[in-house]
Amino acid sequence: MARDPRRLAGIALMCAAPVFFAGLDTTGKVLAGAGVDPLLTTFMRYAVNVALVTAFLNPVTRPGVAHSRRLPLQILRSLLLFGSTACNFLALRSLQLAETVSIQFAAPLTVALLAGPLLGEWSSRTRLAAVAAGFLGVLIIVRPDAVVAKPAMLFSLGNMLCYAFYVLVTRKLAAYDSTATTVFYTGLGGLVVMSPLLPWVWTTPASCTVWALLLAVGLFGTVGHWLLVLAHARAPANLLAPLIYTQILWSVLLGYLVFGDVPSVWTLLGAGVIVASGLVLLSEDALARRRTRRD
């Protein structure tokens, strides 16, 4: 049987997206090492995002794109993504890329746990067991002695929780607003929150290189999310979802090449448990969809 070129394109796009996300984290960590305030990096992340999105999605080129049937939820979603980004950049000041991304990948487990009471999507025993195992993986990385030695892990946990609720709100909004409307509002919350704080965190970049890195933060994030949208328009989510875990590999590689970081055994073990748990959840979702189609 001939291969579906659209599916192959979707897979290729999904493989590319984690490269940009890993590049985003790497650039944020480089900027932190250069003395740039993480909140300034956060501002640039959203300033560039809003500028690029507005160039293509705005009420002039897409009439009605700013109209939301659930505006408070759009604002909450945008603020949650801002909180996730700010916590991530704060954590990257002192944590390895592999540590932050591994903890962040516990977000799907949190979503699976909270989707029942918040969205009515209750989990089976197998899914709950996978969630429990995934949180064990988080505990392997975020051990009490590790938190004492690296308090920034608390920022990573904040990043993970904000992102999990961001996903839940995104699912809720899918029933009310178009993808274009949701994309339009995505970066506005971060920009609105950070703009009044800019005078307190602003330091003029010392070189053109720092300027380029600040712009790259916004480009990496925007392009990464754009590739995700393009990928999901070409291939089913259950085929693409496992590929997001390749970001761990890119983070380990970039962490070693750029910073000379070698992940600890605990980080690698915990990351392995989290990824395995996530794959079990994806497998359960695929089985549930097959059963639904048969019925």
Side-chain angles (χ1 to χ4, degrees), residues 46 49 74 77-78 81 166 181-190:
Y46 288 107
N49 172 268
Q74 288 287 5
R77 175 182 177 274
S78 187
L81 185 60
Y166 163 82
T181 297
T182 298
V183 170
F184 175 78
Y185 280 103
T186 295
L188 289 177

Side-chain angles (χ1 to χ4, degrees), residues 90-105:
L90 288 166
L92 284 168
R93 287 185 299 180
S94 54
L95 296 184
Q96 294 184 3
L97 295 174
E99 291 173 320
T100 58
V101 75
S102 297
I103 295 170
Q104 181 176 320
F105 275 132

